[in-house]
Amino acid sequence: MSTVIYLDHNATTSIGPEVLEAMIPYLTTEWGNPSSSYKFGSKLKGVLELAREQVAELIGAHGREVIFTSCATESNNAAIHAALQATGKRHIITSAVEHSSVLNYCKALEGNHGSHGYAEGGTDRRAVRERQAIYHETHEQHESGYRVTYLPVDRDGLLKLADLENAITDDTAVVSLMWANNETGVLFSVKEIAEICRAHGVLFHCDAVQAAGKIEIDVSREGGMPVDYLSITGHKFHAPKGVGALYVRRETPFSPLIVGGHQERGLRGGTESVPLIVGLGKAAELARKHLPCYEKKVRPLRDALEEGILSSIPNTELNGHPADAGHRLANTSNITFRGIESEALLILLDQEGICASSGSACLADSDEPSHVVKAMKPESTASRQMIRFSLDFTNTDAEVSSAINAVRRSVKALLD
Ligand code: PLP
């Protein structure tokens, strides 16, 4: 059997063995409904509360500030929805490099349903585009009244804080900006952003999906970041897919996006998935313990990979802030291979057993160039010629050496 070298941890991660072990009783014998009145079900409430505390500890929050969701896409949608409902205002500020779960929600609010899905639709791209064109025609006349500002980034992927300050108006309901970019690993200055939002009385939502478990997050009142809403998802730090959380600061208004039963104190309807939530809690506990690994183990591995590629393959270029300290995650390298289409290189790498990507896994079935790299380098072809490598503490030196050789061979094959 051929071995796989998995260098796509920003897309998803494996379920940790201890996480799986913690989940098993709730997938087998303890299958009750926590909302039931009898003990077989209701005793699971305590299990949910333990997981809530574990997640809260990862981010310096209180358990009561954590709402379980099905994924970060839901958390992101729910946060923006809540801010709009609470304030009655109609302006949102975000950036051009956010994840599609923020960008497409904002576009939908503006009345531009560019990525609309259809129950009967498949993933056939032409068919999707045709259906989108029809959708545009029929829906463009419905003015939603929401206005969105998409802040630009510079060549390093960073925001200008002055642009944020200038964009805030009396009608701004929420600023939604990510902590760590999923494609480049570039870190926004979220603490300063949070303080600007505070000073202007605007709610701040942070998509912390790629930061959680990789860098320290502190939303506490004791010197932490004064954020109102913060999204995380389990499958980026060795919990299963299909479970996430939304932090909502104690004094911040919230109204649910998913309305139904009284679960999650009425803040998110739907029977809780106890096994997934247990997995999320355990993974959060372990992620806290593993945080130092990112500096000690992952950074040297990533640097060796990055250096190995950039120094030995001509016409390569890093996308994202070059100086790591405070500006880029320790696990991510986004590299342009000038003259080579990302998809062609990915196919050869796949044949070599290397898992990497040309951007967000959520958009992998679209033929669009990376919107993130395009926002950073609009004049160049870098956005069609880049590969994202994202590592983790499960990678090894041997894997990195093999990956460098595989990239060299594949690039040579495409240029010969
Ligand atoms: N936000 C960012 C930055 C992401 O990288 C992702 C997933 O790749 C999401 C949100 C969406 O997470 P989920 O897959 O849990 O919906």
Side-chain angles (χ1 to χ4, degrees), residues 134-180:
I134 295 166
Y135 196 89
H136 275 265
E137 268 172 35
T138 41
H139 288 257
E140 249 163 22
Q141 65 264 34
H142 296 302
E143 256 308 318
S144 67
Y146 289 108
R147 194 168 68 80
V148 184
T149 300
Y150 301 92
L151 298 174
V153 293
D154 65 17
R155 290 186 74 73
D156 288 336
L158 294 171
L159 283 175
K160 281 200 197 69
L161 294 181
D163 286 347
L164 168 63
E165 291 220 68
N166 291 337
I168 295 174
T169 71
D170 289 346
D171 196 36
T172 306
V174 61
V175 169
S176 177
L177 292 169
M178 65 201 329
W179 194 320

mmCIF file of all heavy atoms in Angstrom, residues 134-180:
data_model
loop_
_atom_site.group_PDB
_atom_site.id
_atom_site.type_symbol
_atom_site.label_atom_id
_atom_site.label_comp_id
_atom_site.label_asym_id
_atom_site.label_seq_id
_atom_site.Cartn_x
_atom_site.Cartn_y
_atom_site.Cartn_z
ATOM 1 N N ILE A 134 -29.484 31.968 -13.553
ATOM 2 C CA ILE A 134 -30.943 32.083 -13.453
ATOM 3 C C ILE A 134 -31.296 32.718 -12.113
ATOM 4 O O ILE A 134 -32.110 33.620 -12.009
ATOM 5 C CB ILE A 134 -31.614 30.691 -13.575
ATOM 6 C CG1 ILE A 134 -31.350 30.137 -14.964
ATOM 7 C CG2 ILE A 134 -33.116 30.771 -13.294
ATOM 8 C CD1 ILE A 134 -31.650 28.667 -15.100
ATOM 9 N N TYR A 135 -30.609 32.275 -11.067
ATOM 10 C CA TYR A 135 -30.895 32.793 -9.732
ATOM 11 C C TYR A 135 -30.656 34.296 -9.681
ATOM 12 O O TYR A 135 -31.458 35.060 -9.174
ATOM 13 C CB TYR A 135 -30.022 32.073 -8.693
ATOM 14 C CG TYR A 135 -30.533 32.287 -7.304
ATOM 15 C CD1 TYR A 135 -31.480 31.420 -6.750
ATOM 16 C CD2 TYR A 135 -30.124 33.379 -6.555
ATOM 17 C CE1 TYR A 135 -31.978 31.648 -5.485
ATOM 18 C CE2 TYR A 135 -30.614 33.606 -5.290
ATOM 19 C CZ TYR A 135 -31.537 32.735 -4.764
ATOM 20 O OH TYR A 135 -32.039 32.959 -3.516
ATOM 21 N N HIS A 136 -29.534 34.715 -10.323
ATOM 22 C CA HIS A 136 -29.222 36.150 -10.334
ATOM 23 C C HIS A 136 -30.334 36.926 -10.998
ATOM 24 O O HIS A 136 -30.779 37.944 -10.497
ATOM 25 C CB HIS A 136 -27.935 36.395 -11.126
ATOM 26 C CG HIS A 136 -26.731 36.215 -10.288
ATOM 27 N ND1 HIS A 136 -26.105 37.253 -9.657
ATOM 28 C CD2 HIS A 136 -26.063 35.103 -9.938
ATOM 29 C CE1 HIS A 136 -25.092 36.788 -8.964
ATOM 30 N NE2 HIS A 136 -25.037 35.485 -9.123
ATOM 31 N N GLU A 137 -30.760 36.416 -12.172
ATOM 32 C CA GLU A 137 -31.798 37.144 -12.910
ATOM 33 C C GLU A 137 -33.043 37.320 -12.071
ATOM 34 O O GLU A 137 -33.646 38.373 -12.037
ATOM 35 C CB GLU A 137 -32.184 36.360 -14.168
ATOM 36 C CG GLU A 137 -31.363 36.778 -15.364
ATOM 37 C CD GLU A 137 -31.631 35.871 -16.537
ATOM 38 O OE1 GLU A 137 -32.791 35.426 -16.672
ATOM 39 O OE2 GLU A 137 -30.687 35.607 -17.284
ATOM 40 N N THR A 138 -33.437 36.241 -11.388
ATOM 41 C CA THR A 138 -34.704 36.309 -10.675
ATOM 42 C C THR A 138 -34.591 37.052 -9.349
ATOM 43 O O THR A 138 -35.573 37.532 -8.824
ATOM 44 C CB THR A 138 -35.259 34.902 -10.389
ATOM 45 O OG1 THR A 138 -34.186 34.091 -10.005
ATOM 46 C CG2 THR A 138 -35.976 34.323 -11.567
ATOM 47 N N HIS A 139 -33.389 37.129 -8.824
ATOM 48 C CA HIS A 139 -33.308 37.682 -7.470
ATOM 49 C C HIS A 139 -32.638 39.050 -7.388
ATOM 50 O O HIS A 139 -32.666 39.664 -6.349
ATOM 51 C CB HIS A 139 -32.573 36.701 -6.543
ATOM 52 C CG HIS A 139 -33.412 35.512 -6.245
ATOM 53 N ND1 HIS A 139 -34.058 35.343 -5.056
ATOM 54 C CD2 HIS A 139 -33.753 34.462 -7.017
ATOM 55 C CE1 HIS A 139 -34.742 34.209 -5.087
ATOM 56 N NE2 HIS A 139 -34.569 33.662 -6.271
ATOM 57 N N GLU A 140 -32.024 39.496 -8.501
ATOM 58 C CA GLU A 140 -31.303 40.752 -8.397
ATOM 59 C C GLU A 140 -32.218 41.922 -8.040
ATOM 60 O O GLU A 140 -31.808 42.846 -7.377
ATOM 61 C CB GLU A 140 -30.520 41.039 -9.671
ATOM 62 C CG GLU A 140 -29.025 40.937 -9.393
ATOM 63 C CD GLU A 140 -28.210 40.801 -10.648
ATOM 64 O OE1 GLU A 140 -28.703 41.198 -11.710
ATOM 65 O OE2 GLU A 140 -27.086 40.289 -10.552
ATOM 66 N N GLN A 141 -33.478 41.825 -8.465
ATOM 67 C CA GLN A 141 -34.357 42.966 -8.201
ATOM 68 C C GLN A 141 -34.703 43.096 -6.730
ATOM 69 O O GLN A 141 -35.133 44.143 -6.288
ATOM 70 C CB GLN A 141 -35.638 42.897 -9.062
ATOM 71 C CG GLN A 141 -36.555 41.748 -8.768
ATOM 72 C CD GLN A 141 -36.309 40.569 -9.722
ATOM 73 O OE1 GLN A 141 -35.184 40.327 -10.135
ATOM 74 N NE2 GLN A 141 -37.354 39.852 -10.060
ATOM 75 N N HIS A 142 -34.494 42.030 -5.903
ATOM 76 C CA HIS A 142 -34.824 42.128 -4.485
ATOM 77 C C HIS A 142 -33.690 42.816 -3.745
ATOM 78 O O HIS A 142 -32.662 42.225 -3.474
ATOM 79 C CB HIS A 142 -35.047 40.728 -3.886
ATOM 80 C CG HIS A 142 -36.208 40.037 -4.489
ATOM 81 N ND1 HIS A 142 -37.466 40.560 -4.468
ATOM 82 C CD2 HIS A 142 -36.307 38.859 -5.135
ATOM 83 C CE1 HIS A 142 -38.309 39.738 -5.078
ATOM 84 N NE2 HIS A 142 -37.626 38.705 -5.510
ATOM 85 N N GLU A 143 -33.837 44.070 -3.469
ATOM 86 C CA GLU A 143 -32.799 44.803 -2.747
ATOM 87 C C GLU A 143 -32.885 44.447 -1.262
ATOM 88 O O GLU A 143 -33.914 44.652 -0.627
ATOM 89 C CB GLU A 143 -33.019 46.309 -2.938
ATOM 90 C CG GLU A 143 -32.064 46.950 -3.921
ATOM 91 C CD GLU A 143 -30.605 46.653 -3.631
ATOM 92 O OE1 GLU A 143 -30.208 46.686 -2.447
ATOM 93 O OE2 GLU A 143 -29.871 46.363 -4.588
ATOM 94 N N SER A 144 -31.813 43.883 -0.734
ATOM 95 C CA SER A 144 -31.864 43.433 0.656
ATOM 96 C C SER A 144 -31.702 44.593 1.622
ATOM 97 O O SER A 144 -32.125 44.532 2.762
ATOM 98 C CB SER A 144 -30.731 42.449 0.903
ATOM 99 O OG SER A 144 -29.508 43.140 0.815
ATOM 100 N N GLY A 145 -31.013 45.649 1.150
ATOM 101 C CA GLY A 145 -30.768 46.779 2.038
ATOM 102 C C GLY A 145 -29.539 46.594 2.903
ATOM 103 O O GLY A 145 -29.172 47.490 3.651
ATOM 104 N N TYR A 146 -28.857 45.451 2.828
ATOM 105 C CA TYR A 146 -27.600 45.287 3.572
ATOM 106 C C TYR A 146 -26.449 45.766 2.698
ATOM 107 O O TYR A 146 -26.436 45.566 1.486
ATOM 108 C CB TYR A 146 -27.380 43.819 3.960
ATOM 109 C CG TYR A 146 -28.328 43.363 5.041
ATOM 110 C CD1 TYR A 146 -29.367 42.483 4.753
ATOM 111 C CD2 TYR A 146 -28.191 43.833 6.342
ATOM 112 C CE1 TYR A 146 -30.252 42.073 5.745
ATOM 113 C CE2 TYR A 146 -29.063 43.430 7.338
ATOM 114 C CZ TYR A 146 -30.087 42.551 7.033
ATOM 115 O OH TYR A 146 -30.946 42.168 8.014
ATOM 116 N N ARG A 147 -25.467 46.372 3.355
ATOM 117 C CA ARG A 147 -24.295 46.863 2.623
ATOM 118 C C ARG A 147 -23.065 46.234 3.266
ATOM 119 O O ARG A 147 -22.994 46.145 4.498
ATOM 120 C CB ARG A 147 -24.238 48.395 2.766
ATOM 121 C CG ARG A 147 -23.302 49.075 1.803
ATOM 122 C CD ARG A 147 -23.539 50.584 1.830
ATOM 123 N NE ARG A 147 -23.131 51.193 3.091
ATOM 124 C CZ ARG A 147 -21.875 51.502 3.402
ATOM 125 N NH1 ARG A 147 -20.894 51.252 2.556
ATOM 126 N NH2 ARG A 147 -21.583 52.064 4.561
ATOM 127 N N VAL A 148 -22.143 45.779 2.437
ATOM 128 C CA VAL A 148 -20.948 45.111 2.981
ATOM 129 C C VAL A 148 -19.700 45.811 2.462
ATOM 130 O O VAL A 148 -19.590 46.090 1.265
ATOM 131 C CB VAL A 148 -20.910 43.616 2.570
ATOM 132 C CG1 VAL A 148 -19.716 42.921 3.223
ATOM 133 C CG2 VAL A 148 -22.208 42.906 2.951
ATOM 134 N N THR A 149 -18.766 46.090 3.350
ATOM 135 C CA THR A 149 -17.453 46.605 2.945
ATOM 136 C C THR A 149 -16.463 45.457 3.051
ATOM 137 O O THR A 149 -16.359 44.819 4.107
ATOM 138 C CB THR A 149 -16.990 47.755 3.877
ATOM 139 O OG1 THR A 149 -17.958 48.800 3.805
ATOM 140 C CG2 THR A 149 -15.618 48.284 3.489
ATOM 141 N N TYR A 150 -15.764 45.179 1.948
ATOM 142 C CA TYR A 150 -14.741 44.126 1.921
ATOM 143 C C TYR A 150 -13.379 44.811 1.976
ATOM 144 O O TYR A 150 -12.922 45.367 0.974
ATOM 145 C CB TYR A 150 -14.868 43.281 0.649
ATOM 146 C CG TYR A 150 -16.233 42.611 0.519
ATOM 147 C CD1 TYR A 150 -17.279 43.234 -0.165
ATOM 148 C CD2 TYR A 150 -16.467 41.370 1.107
ATOM 149 C CE1 TYR A 150 -18.526 42.630 -0.263
ATOM 150 C CE2 TYR A 150 -17.717 40.767 1.011
ATOM 151 C CZ TYR A 150 -18.738 41.397 0.332
ATOM 152 O OH TYR A 150 -19.972 40.801 0.239
ATOM 153 N N LEU A 151 -12.747 44.804 3.134
ATOM 154 C CA LEU A 151 -11.469 45.515 3.277
ATOM 155 C C LEU A 151 -10.381 44.823 2.456
ATOM 156 O O LEU A 151 -10.304 43.588 2.455
ATOM 157 C CB LEU A 151 -11.040 45.549 4.752
ATOM 158 C CG LEU A 151 -11.973 46.287 5.717
ATOM 159 C CD1 LEU A 151 -11.492 46.099 7.152
ATOM 160 C CD2 LEU A 151 -12.038 47.774 5.365
ATOM 161 N N PRO A 152 -9.529 45.613 1.796
ATOM 162 C CA PRO A 152 -8.434 45.001 1.029
ATOM 163 C C PRO A 152 -7.291 44.580 1.951
ATOM 164 O O PRO A 152 -7.240 44.990 3.112
ATOM 165 C CB PRO A 152 -7.988 46.148 0.118
ATOM 166 C CG PRO A 152 -8.323 47.388 0.879
ATOM 167 C CD PRO A 152 -9.526 47.082 1.733
ATOM 168 N N VAL A 153 -6.383 43.764 1.414
ATOM 169 C CA VAL A 153 -5.154 43.432 2.160
ATOM 170 C C VAL A 153 -3.960 43.839 1.302
ATOM 171 O O VAL A 153 -4.101 44.025 0.089
ATOM 172 C CB VAL A 153 -5.075 41.919 2.497
ATOM 173 C CG1 VAL A 153 -6.137 41.515 3.484
ATOM 174 C CG2 VAL A 153 -5.131 41.058 1.237
ATOM 175 N N ASP A 154 -2.795 43.952 1.948
ATOM 176 C CA ASP A 154 -1.598 44.304 1.176
ATOM 177 C C ASP A 154 -0.930 43.038 0.631
ATOM 178 O O ASP A 154 -1.453 41.936 0.779
ATOM 179 C CB ASP A 154 -0.641 45.172 2.022
ATOM 180 C CG ASP A 154 -0.083 44.411 3.231
ATOM 181 O OD1 ASP A 154 -0.161 43.161 3.261
ATOM 182 O OD2 ASP A 154 0.426 45.077 4.162
ATOM 183 N N ARG A 155 0.248 43.180 0.029
ATOM 184 C CA ARG A 155 0.915 42.030 -0.617
ATOM 185 C C ARG A 155 1.280 40.937 0.378
ATOM 186 O O ARG A 155 1.460 39.778 0.014
ATOM 187 C CB ARG A 155 2.179 42.497 -1.352
ATOM 188 C CG ARG A 155 1.886 43.319 -2.573
ATOM 189 C CD ARG A 155 3.153 43.628 -3.335
ATOM 190 N NE ARG A 155 3.676 42.475 -4.073
ATOM 191 C CZ ARG A 155 3.136 41.988 -5.185
ATOM 192 N NH1 ARG A 155 2.053 42.551 -5.690
ATOM 193 N NH2 ARG A 155 3.673 40.955 -5.799
ATOM 194 N N ASP A 156 1.419 41.328 1.657
ATOM 195 C CA ASP A 156 1.733 40.328 2.683
ATOM 196 C C ASP A 156 0.471 39.704 3.265
ATOM 197 O O ASP A 156 0.538 38.857 4.154
ATOM 198 C CB ASP A 156 2.533 40.972 3.820
ATOM 199 C CG ASP A 156 3.958 41.296 3.391
ATOM 200 O OD1 ASP A 156 4.440 40.649 2.445
ATOM 201 O OD2 ASP A 156 4.572 42.189 4.005
ATOM 202 N N GLY A 157 -0.674 40.176 2.828
ATOM 203 C CA GLY A 157 -1.936 39.604 3.331
ATOM 204 C C GLY A 157 -2.459 40.306 4.561
ATOM 205 O O GLY A 157 -3.393 39.813 5.205
ATOM 206 N N LEU A 158 -1.857 41.463 4.896
ATOM 207 C CA LEU A 158 -2.273 42.163 6.121
ATOM 208 C C LEU A 158 -3.253 43.299 5.828
ATOM 209 O O LEU A 158 -3.232 43.884 4.736
ATOM 210 C CB LEU A 158 -1.038 42.730 6.836
ATOM 211 C CG LEU A 158 -0.078 41.672 7.396
ATOM 212 C CD1 LEU A 158 1.205 42.330 7.890
ATOM 213 C CD2 LEU A 158 -0.730 40.880 8.521
ATOM 214 N N LEU A 159 -4.069 43.582 6.824
ATOM 215 C CA LEU A 159 -5.034 44.687 6.742
ATOM 216 C C LEU A 159 -4.394 45.974 7.211
ATOM 217 O O LEU A 159 -3.512 45.942 8.072
ATOM 218 C CB LEU A 159 -6.168 44.444 7.744
ATOM 219 C CG LEU A 159 -7.250 43.453 7.464
ATOM 220 C CD1 LEU A 159 -8.134 43.366 8.693
ATOM 221 C CD2 LEU A 159 -8.063 43.880 6.255
ATOM 222 N N LYS A 160 -4.893 47.102 6.706
ATOM 223 C CA LYS A 160 -4.489 48.401 7.297
ATOM 224 C C LYS A 160 -5.570 48.764 8.297
ATOM 225 O O LYS A 160 -6.741 48.898 7.927
ATOM 226 C CB LYS A 160 -4.412 49.469 6.219
ATOM 227 C CG LYS A 160 -3.161 49.410 5.406
ATOM 228 C CD LYS A 160 -2.953 50.780 4.713
ATOM 229 C CE LYS A 160 -1.969 50.669 3.578
ATOM 230 N NZ LYS A 160 -2.475 49.906 2.426
ATOM 231 N N LEU A 161 -5.168 48.945 9.549
ATOM 232 C CA LEU A 161 -6.173 49.241 10.579
ATOM 233 C C LEU A 161 -6.877 50.567 10.289
ATOM 234 O O LEU A 161 -8.061 50.736 10.611
ATOM 235 C CB LEU A 161 -5.524 49.248 11.963
ATOM 236 C CG LEU A 161 -4.987 47.876 12.413
ATOM 237 C CD1 LEU A 161 -4.390 47.954 13.802
ATOM 238 C CD2 LEU A 161 -6.051 46.802 12.342
ATOM 239 N N ALA A 162 -6.166 51.483 9.617
ATOM 240 C CA ALA A 162 -6.803 52.766 9.271
ATOM 241 C C ALA A 162 -7.971 52.532 8.313
ATOM 242 O O ALA A 162 -8.991 53.223 8.384
ATOM 243 C CB ALA A 162 -5.775 53.699 8.641
ATOM 244 N N ASP A 163 -7.835 51.537 7.427
ATOM 245 C CA ASP A 163 -8.941 51.231 6.494
ATOM 246 C C ASP A 163 -10.166 50.788 7.282
ATOM 247 O O ASP A 163 -11.301 51.130 6.945
ATOM 248 C CB ASP A 163 -8.550 50.097 5.530
ATOM 249 C CG ASP A 163 -7.564 50.548 4.472
ATOM 250 O OD1 ASP A 163 -7.369 51.766 4.329
ATOM 251 O OD2 ASP A 163 -7.002 49.669 3.783
ATOM 252 N N LEU A 164 -9.929 49.993 8.334
ATOM 253 C CA LEU A 164 -11.057 49.538 9.158
ATOM 254 C C LEU A 164 -11.715 50.739 9.829
ATOM 255 O O LEU A 164 -12.941 50.903 9.754
ATOM 256 C CB LEU A 164 -10.553 48.521 10.206
ATOM 257 C CG LEU A 164 -11.538 48.168 11.307
ATOM 258 C CD1 LEU A 164 -12.780 47.495 10.724
ATOM 259 C CD2 LEU A 164 -10.895 47.258 12.353
ATOM 260 N N GLU A 165 -10.892 51.587 10.449
ATOM 261 C CA GLU A 165 -11.464 52.753 11.155
ATOM 262 C C GLU A 165 -12.268 53.631 10.200
ATOM 263 O O GLU A 165 -13.360 54.086 10.531
ATOM 264 C CB GLU A 165 -10.345 53.590 11.794
ATOM 265 C CG GLU A 165 -9.709 52.851 12.943
ATOM 266 C CD GLU A 165 -9.386 53.769 14.119
ATOM 267 O OE1 GLU A 165 -10.331 54.278 14.773
ATOM 268 O OE2 GLU A 165 -8.202 53.956 14.358
ATOM 269 N N ASN A 166 -11.711 53.817 8.985
ATOM 270 C CA ASN A 166 -12.398 54.679 8.012
ATOM 271 C C ASN A 166 -13.701 54.067 7.520
ATOM 272 O O ASN A 166 -14.610 54.783 7.106
ATOM 273 C CB ASN A 166 -11.497 54.946 6.801
ATOM 274 C CG ASN A 166 -10.313 55.821 7.193
ATOM 275 O OD1 ASN A 166 -10.386 56.537 8.189
ATOM 276 N ND2 ASN A 166 -9.228 55.738 6.437
ATOM 277 N N ALA A 167 -13.785 52.739 7.559
ATOM 278 C CA ALA A 167 -14.979 52.068 7.008
ATOM 279 C C ALA A 167 -16.154 52.076 7.990
ATOM 280 O O ALA A 167 -17.305 51.921 7.587
ATOM 281 C CB ALA A 167 -14.633 50.632 6.627
ATOM 282 N N ILE A 168 -15.860 52.249 9.275
ATOM 283 C CA ILE A 168 -16.939 52.175 10.276
ATOM 284 C C ILE A 168 -17.853 53.402 10.150
ATOM 285 O O ILE A 168 -17.381 54.529 10.061
ATOM 286 C CB ILE A 168 -16.349 52.083 11.706
ATOM 287 C CG1 ILE A 168 -15.585 50.754 11.867
ATOM 288 C CG2 ILE A 168 -17.446 52.185 12.767
ATOM 289 C CD1 ILE A 168 -14.839 50.596 13.182
ATOM 290 N N THR A 169 -19.156 53.136 10.103
ATOM 291 C CA THR A 169 -20.135 54.242 10.048
ATOM 292 C C THR A 169 -21.142 54.041 11.191
ATOM 293 O O THR A 169 -21.116 53.015 11.877
ATOM 294 C CB THR A 169 -20.928 54.249 8.717
ATOM 295 O OG1 THR A 169 -21.832 53.128 8.740
ATOM 296 C CG2 THR A 169 -20.033 54.148 7.505
ATOM 297 N N ASP A 170 -22.065 54.988 11.310
ATOM 298 C CA ASP A 170 -23.103 54.864 12.353
ATOM 299 C C ASP A 170 -24.005 53.660 12.085
ATOM 300 O O ASP A 170 -24.707 53.191 12.976
ATOM 301 C CB ASP A 170 -23.990 56.117 12.372
ATOM 302 C CG ASP A 170 -23.226 57.297 12.926
ATOM 303 O OD1 ASP A 170 -22.152 57.059 13.517
ATOM 304 O OD2 ASP A 170 -23.679 58.446 12.737
ATOM 305 N N ASP A 171 -24.017 53.184 10.835
ATOM 306 C CA ASP A 171 -24.903 52.072 10.469
ATOM 307 C C ASP A 171 -24.178 50.717 10.529
ATOM 308 O O ASP A 171 -24.738 49.697 10.145
ATOM 309 C CB ASP A 171 -25.447 52.321 9.052
ATOM 310 C CG ASP A 171 -26.648 51.442 8.748
ATOM 311 O OD1 ASP A 171 -27.457 51.201 9.679
ATOM 312 O OD2 ASP A 171 -26.768 50.959 7.609
ATOM 313 N N THR A 172 -22.915 50.702 11.009
ATOM 314 C CA THR A 172 -22.170 49.431 11.022
ATOM 315 C C THR A 172 -22.644 48.556 12.185
ATOM 316 O O THR A 172 -22.552 48.956 13.347
ATOM 317 C CB THR A 172 -20.646 49.686 11.137
ATOM 318 O OG1 THR A 172 -20.255 50.569 10.096
ATOM 319 C CG2 THR A 172 -19.864 48.374 11.028
ATOM 320 N N ALA A 173 -23.122 47.367 11.842
ATOM 321 C CA ALA A 173 -23.605 46.438 12.861
ATOM 322 C C ALA A 173 -22.469 45.598 13.403
ATOM 323 O O ALA A 173 -22.392 45.340 14.610
ATOM 324 C CB ALA A 173 -24.670 45.514 12.258
ATOM 325 N N VAL A 174 -21.601 45.128 12.511
ATOM 326 C CA VAL A 174 -20.605 44.148 12.932
ATOM 327 C C VAL A 174 -19.390 44.202 12.021
ATOM 328 O O VAL A 174 -19.497 44.458 10.821
ATOM 329 C CB VAL A 174 -21.225 42.717 12.951
ATOM 330 C CG1 VAL A 174 -21.712 42.268 11.592
ATOM 331 C CG2 VAL A 174 -20.284 41.680 13.555
ATOM 332 N N VAL A 175 -18.238 43.948 12.644
ATOM 333 C CA VAL A 175 -16.996 43.734 11.903
ATOM 334 C C VAL A 175 -16.704 42.247 12.035
ATOM 335 O O VAL A 175 -16.656 41.712 13.142
ATOM 336 C CB VAL A 175 -15.848 44.579 12.509
ATOM 337 C CG1 VAL A 175 -14.508 44.176 11.927
ATOM 338 C CG2 VAL A 175 -16.121 46.066 12.298
ATOM 339 N N SER A 176 -16.574 41.554 10.896
ATOM 340 C CA SER A 176 -16.296 40.117 10.933
ATOM 341 C C SER A 176 -14.963 39.873 10.245
ATOM 342 O O SER A 176 -14.863 39.978 9.014
ATOM 343 C CB SER A 176 -17.421 39.344 10.224
ATOM 344 O OG SER A 176 -17.111 37.967 10.208
ATOM 345 N N LEU A 177 -13.943 39.578 11.027
ATOM 346 C CA LEU A 177 -12.610 39.363 10.467
ATOM 347 C C LEU A 177 -11.983 38.118 11.068
ATOM 348 O O LEU A 177 -12.179 37.818 12.246
ATOM 349 C CB LEU A 177 -11.714 40.575 10.744
ATOM 350 C CG LEU A 177 -12.122 41.863 9.989
ATOM 351 C CD1 LEU A 177 -11.358 43.066 10.526
ATOM 352 C CD2 LEU A 177 -11.882 41.715 8.490
ATOM 353 N N MET A 178 -11.236 37.411 10.245
ATOM 354 C CA MET A 178 -10.648 36.157 10.718
ATOM 355 C C MET A 178 -9.378 36.416 11.531
ATOM 356 O O MET A 178 -8.768 37.481 11.442
ATOM 357 C CB MET A 178 -10.353 35.234 9.532
ATOM 358 C CG MET A 178 -9.306 35.747 8.602
ATOM 359 S SD MET A 178 -9.349 35.014 6.907
ATOM 360 C CE MET A 178 -9.940 33.385 7.094
ATOM 361 N N TRP A 179 -8.998 35.408 12.293
ATOM 362 C CA TRP A 179 -7.742 35.534 13.051
ATOM 363 C C TRP A 179 -6.590 35.069 12.152
ATOM 364 O O TRP A 179 -5.665 35.824 11.872
ATOM 365 C CB TRP A 179 -7.827 34.679 14.316
ATOM 366 C CG TRP A 179 -6.761 34.984 15.326
ATOM 367 C CD1 TRP A 179 -5.435 35.261 15.069
ATOM 368 C CD2 TRP A 179 -6.929 35.041 16.738
ATOM 369 N NE1 TRP A 179 -4.773 35.482 16.244
ATOM 370 C CE2 TRP A 179 -5.653 35.349 17.288
ATOM 371 C CE3 TRP A 179 -7.999 34.858 17.599
ATOM 372 C CZ2 TRP A 179 -5.446 35.473 18.656
ATOM 373 C CZ3 TRP A 179 -7.784 34.975 18.964
ATOM 374 C CH2 TRP A 179 -6.526 35.286 19.483
ATOM 375 N N ALA A 180 -6.660 33.818 11.709
ATOM 376 C CA ALA A 180 -5.597 33.260 10.866
ATOM 377 C C ALA A 180 -6.195 32.860 9.529
ATOM 378 O O ALA A 180 -7.230 32.197 9.494
ATOM 379 C CB ALA A 180 -4.991 32.034 11.543
#
